Amino acid sequence: MSYRQARYDEPLIFEMEGENDFCLMNDDEVNVPEGMVRKELCLPEVPEMEVVRHYVNLSQMNFGVDNGMYPLGSCTMKYNPKYADKLSSLPEVTSVHPCQDEDSIQGALCLMRELEKALCAISMMDAVTLQPAAGAQGEFTGMLIAKAYHADRGQTRTEVIVPDSAHGTNPASAAMAGYTVIEVPSGQDGCVDLEALEAALSERTAAVMVTNPNTLGLFEKDIVRMAEMVHAAGALLYYDGANLNAIMGTTSPGTMDFDIVHFNLHKTFATPHGGGGPGAGPVGVKKFLEPYLPVPRIVSDEGRYRLDYERTDSIGKVRSMFGNFAVLVRAYAYIIAQGGDGLKETSQRAVLNSNYLKSKVVAAYDMPFAQLRKHEFVVSARRLAKEKGVHATDVAKALLDRGFMSPTVYFPSLVEEALMIEPTESESKDTLDRYAQALLDIAAGDPADIKASPRYTSVSRVDEVYAAKELILSWRIYQRKAGLK
Ligand SMILES: *Cc1c(COP(=O)(O)O)cnc(C)c1O
């Protein structure tokens, strides 16, 4: 066994043996569904040093933004400055409890109120709720707000229009809120086809969800016209703000006449994103929709902050307590540290890096919709697939062996063999050059060699569908499940 293999053969903590292993038994009646109750939890009693080595080894079997470039399109996997982590780890943040008396959490309420104001200024919206825990939950909140608004006006609108380039959460959120999803195709230029939009709009349309720049990295050039069309039909215009990284300080959803927007604090505003960790998906609205925002609202009376639950038109609560507070602290710290000019420069650099990298890789990859991009771009491995049998997946796996995370692949689905690359503003020119070189080397490489990747990761290729459905965490567990041992 090589050194690398040995390091990758880290057992699970449950598989380790200590001197005084012990089990915690749960004899109490607990109010959770049958089958979800853990009757016992057995842990090995291993020395501190073993525990430290165990988790450090596990962390090295993974790849993260602190290991290397991670240009996962649409996900904005940028470097998150450590000062934001440090501030969110202060005892004033970690020890505060949401059930404390308002008088004892004035600082926390002040921070949240100030963050709301900052997000209003960035988006040019009038009011913000910080409650939703993710982008998708922000979308769902936005859809409930649209529903409450139309109901108030005595209208039953049953449809939500979503472009075919949208993130999968858009149609899912609309459907969860009870709407029928109408998909509109993109035109030749990769932007929403206005004729198709016109044909889809009707008195049944509750909202149109738009991502701008869209997931191809293209700015919807007809957005002003689109907003007019949507509003003329009596519908609301929803902005998927996961990609706000592209436009801060240059334009905003409010300027483009959007009515509702969600932000992904864990993409744009310095929270490590991925691994299912906590996020935050605040929602901003124009003044006329403010009454529908979730309760409680943070209000200030003569310098004292309090929580207002007395909002008769509110859609209610969408999440327990006030949201993911530590994530809000990180975002606030980041916004304050950057300042308005810093945020603008962040977006400008994100766009510059994306176009720079694009210009280096177009020699070997097809470029559908060949205009200037915003924070991300999509190329196609179509030619490689046809000529050499090397698919987008193979390119992704070969990148892992070269020390880089792969881009997002096979999304958006309107591009065949899509590689969706978002370098983010935080990468240096040198790193971008090395990434581009890796992509060019892979395109020029021996197909058999590329298809044998990855060779140097903790696991090689897995059956992704099976792996998602059947959690097998180690080869020992696999052996047991397969009856081999
Ligand atoms: C990430 C993303 C979402 C969903 O955000 P989550 O926080 O992952 O739920 C929605 N739309 C776009 C364009 C995204 O990139």
Side-chain angles (χ1 to χ4, degrees):
M1 203 187 279
S2 73
Y3 162 71
R4 193 182 278 273
Q5 281 169 324
R7 201 183 69 198
Y8 284 164
D9 194 29
E10 186 68 20
L12 302 177
I13 192 84
F14 301 97
E15 294 172 337
M16 295 171 82
E17 280 177 19
E19 299 237 322
N20 296 301
D21 296 350
F22 63 98
C23 291
L24 299 167
M25 307 298 289
N26 182 7
D27 302 322
D28 299 335
E29 284 290 311
V30 282
N31 189 19
V32 289
E34 192 61 37
M36 288 183 70
V37 184
R38 201 202 294 260
K39 287 288 178 210
E40 58 170 34
L41 175 63
C42 296
L43 293 167
E45 196 182 67
V46 283
E48 179 178 305
M49 185 183 73
E50 296 299 324
V51 175
V52 169
R53 287 183 179 164
H54 172 68
Y55 287 106
V56 170
N57 283 342
L58 281 187
S59 76
Q60 295 191 355
M61 290 164 69
N62 213 338
F63 192 96
V65 279
D66 290 351
N67 293 96
M69 184 168 162
Y70 204 131
L72 210 55
S74 208
C75 290
T76 315
M77 302 295 284
K78 65 185 185 183
Y79 175 73
N80 294 287
K82 296 297 171 227
Y83 68 76
D85 277 344
K86 202 168 170 184
L87 288 168
S88 72
S89 308
L90 290 174
E92 288 84 347
V93 176
T94 56
S95 306
V96 71
H97 194 281
C99 292
Q100 273 175 241
D101 186 77
E102 277 170 13
D103 281 329
S104 68
I105 53 166
Q106 287 293 305
L109 294 178
C110 170
L111 185 147
M112 290 195 283
R113 183 72 194 101
E114 290 301 312
L115 176 59
E116 286 181 4
K117 286 192 210 160
L119 293 174
C120 281
I122 291 166
S123 62
M124 298 293 277
M125 303 302 279
D126 299 315
V128 163
T129 174
L130 302 173
Q131 233 178 70
Q137 202 191 7
E139 294 166 19
F140 180 64
T141 303
M143 290 299 101
L144 294 184
I145 290 171
K147 204 165 214 178
Y149 165 75
H150 291 303
D152 243 9
R153 290 155 45 100
Q155 295 187 353
T156 325
R157 291 176 173 248
T158 54
E159 296 176 354
V160 167
I161 297 175
V162 180
D164 63 357
S165 60
H167 194 271
T169 50
N170 289 190
S173 304
M176 250 180 86
Y179 286 115
T180 302
V181 176
I182 309 290
E183 189 178 280
V184 289
S186 304
Q188 292 293 320
D189 57 358
C191 292
V192 172
D193 180 340
L194 288 192
E195 274 176 32
L197 177 63
E198 187 67 66
L201 282 166
S202 73
E203 71 285 352
R204 294 184 301 279
T205 313
V208 179
M209 301 178 86
V210 177
T211 310
N212 194 21
N214 66 25
T215 58
L216 292 162
L218 294 168
F219 192 84
E220 295 284 351
K221 60 186 185 329
D222 297 319
I223 190 62
V224 173
R225 176 81 195 104
M226 279 162 69
E228 284 167 7
M229 288 161 62
V230 171
H231 290 143
L236 297 174
L237 190 58
Y238 183 95
Y239 184 85
D240 178 335
N243 295 342
L244 210 62
N245 209 33
I247 61 164
M248 286 185 297
T250 297
T251 185
S252 71
T255 313
M256 296 180 239
D257 216 12
F258 280 85
D259 304 298
I260 313 175
V261 46
H262 84 259
F263 310 80
N264 275 46
L265 297 191
H266 48 290
K267 290 182 183 170
T268 312
F269 301 101
T271 287
H273 164 219
V283 170
V285 293
K286 287 279 170 66
K287 192 84 193 151
F288 70 101
L289 295 173
E290 185 176 9
Y292 307 104
L293 286 176
V295 283
R297 301 287 301 138
I298 303 166
V299 291
S300 68
D301 296 328
E302 293 159 10
R304 183 181 175 279
Y305 297 91
R306 65 181 178 82
L307 296 167
D308 182 6
Y309 287 86
E310 305 302 315
R311 304 257 166 162
T312 44
D313 291 330
S314 166
I315 59 165
K317 249 181 163 316
V318 294
R319 192 188 180 279
S320 60
M321 305 308 175
F322 320 119
N324 280 328
F325 184 57
V327 176
L328 305 179
V329 173
R330 282 189 183 87
Y332 185 65
Y334 182 74
I335 290 170
I336 294 298
Q338 297 278 312
D341 290 344
L343 291 177
K344 182 170 183 170
E345 198 187 321
T346 290
S347 284
Q348 289 176 336
R349 282 189 71 116
V351 172
L352 179 63
N353 281 1
S354 159
N355 283 285
Y356 177 71
L357 188 55
K358 177 197 81 150
S359 72
K360 298 218 109 182
V361 304
V362 284
Y365 295 84
D366 284 345
M367 181 88 202
F369 320 113
Q371 305 94 304
L372 209 60
R373 295 305 157 119
K374 290 292 177 277
H375 63 305
E376 67 192 7
F377 62 96
V378 179
V379 289
S380 168
R382 185 172 43 199
R383 200 153 24 106
L384 280 181
K386 212 172 280 162
E387 290 169 7
K388 300 170 121 186
V390 170
H391 295 269
T393 316
D394 304 318
V395 175
K397 303 296 182 196
L399 278 166
L400 299 179
D401 275 348
R402 287 159 177 78
F404 294 113
M405 183 39 90
S406 85
T408 298
V409 288
Y410 300 107
F411 173 70
S413 50
L414 67 158
V415 175
E416 209 187 323
E417 297 287 343
L419 295 162
M420 183 194 210
I421 306 176
E422 180 178 7
T424 81
E425 72 280 2
S426 49
E427 299 302 336
S428 68
K429 178 173 174 297
D430 176 55
T431 308
L432 297 177
D433 286 340
R434 286 189 293 113
Y435 199 84
Q437 196 54 51
L439 278 169
L440 298 177
D441 289 349
I442 291 165
D446 167 21
D449 184 55
I450 301 299
K451 291 180 90 69
S453 309
R455 293 190 179 87
Y456 309 121
T457 50
S458 56
V459 288
S460 55
R461 297 198 190 200
V462 294
D463 178 332
E464 284 163 20
V465 177
Y466 184 55
K469 290 183 173 167
E470 187 80 30
L471 205 59
I472 299 176
L473 296 172
S474 76
W475 61 268
R476 289 177 204 81
I477 297 178
Y478 173 76
Q479 278 190 323
R480 272 203 300 283
K481 287 209 177 185
L484 297 171
K485 207 173 177 197

